[in-house]
Amino acid sequence: MSDIDKAKELLLAGGYTCVLCRGGKAETSSERGVRPLLRLIDEGRSLEGFSAADRVVGNGAAFLYAVLKPDFIYAGVISRAARSTLEKYGIPFEYGVAADGIVNRSGTGPCPMEEAVEGARTPEEALAAVRAKLASIN
């Protein structure tokens, strides 16, 4: 079984939010939103050589994946902006459902991370915007 197939299988069966696979070994997370990706960045990790499966990939997450550089991503749900960002940074991906945008957890408006990175032109700008937004809502 390929790394991406294993990651997708674990994501869909295990109730995880994010699964990383490399060489048949898996790392899982149940953290919500972009937190697992920020943790990896803060740890100085790279995802080169990894396949990632993520429940929801909005543009904030797509920019963070551009920093982490996985070999492949599967998104259960992906936004149009996230698809463009992943394409721009040459990260191959597939998805279950495409959406115009990601909505917030209460379903009352756009995801705050999507809003935070709206004007970002680089992954570094997006990372700073995501950190600022998280600091303002915590």
Side-chain angles (χ1 to χ4, degrees):
M1 177 180 290
S2 71
D3 285 340
I4 192 58
D5 289 336
K6 181 175 178 104
K8 283 170 54 176
E9 180 180 280
L10 287 170
L11 180 77
L12 298 172
Y16 301 111
T17 57
C18 184
V19 178
L20 308 172
C21 288
R22 179 177 175 179
K25 295 183 180 174
E27 296 178 44
T28 60
S29 176
S30 297
E31 294 175 282
R32 297 177 72 171
V34 297
R35 293 189 195 293
L37 304 179
L38 282 174
R39 183 178 38 78
L40 293 167
I41 290 169
D42 290 344
E43 292 171 356
R45 300 262 316 263
S46 166
L47 293 182
E48 290 182 53
F50 283 85
S51 290
D54 201 315
R55 201 168 48 133
V56 178
V57 177
N59 205 27
F63 271 118
L64 298 182
Y65 276 120
V67 172
L68 292 163
K69 300 179 177 130
D71 286 4
F72 197 90
I73 297 172
Y74 168 78
V77 177
I78 193 168
S79 71
R80 181 178 6 175
R83 290 189 326 226
S84 295
T85 296
L86 294 175
E87 288 169 356
K88 178 179 179 177
Y89 292 98
I91 301 171
F93 64 93
E94 62 183 44
Y95 55 89
V97 176
D100 286 336
I102 305 300
V103 297
N104 63 27
R105 291 183 188 137
S106 61
T108 59
C111 167
M113 296 306 118
E114 290 263 288
E115 285 184 316
V117 301
E118 199 168 302
R121 294 181 306 273
T122 66
E124 295 75 23
E125 286 181 8
L127 176 58
V130 164
R131 288 188 193 283
K133 186 65 168 183
L134 283 174
S136 76
I137 59 178
N138 285 334

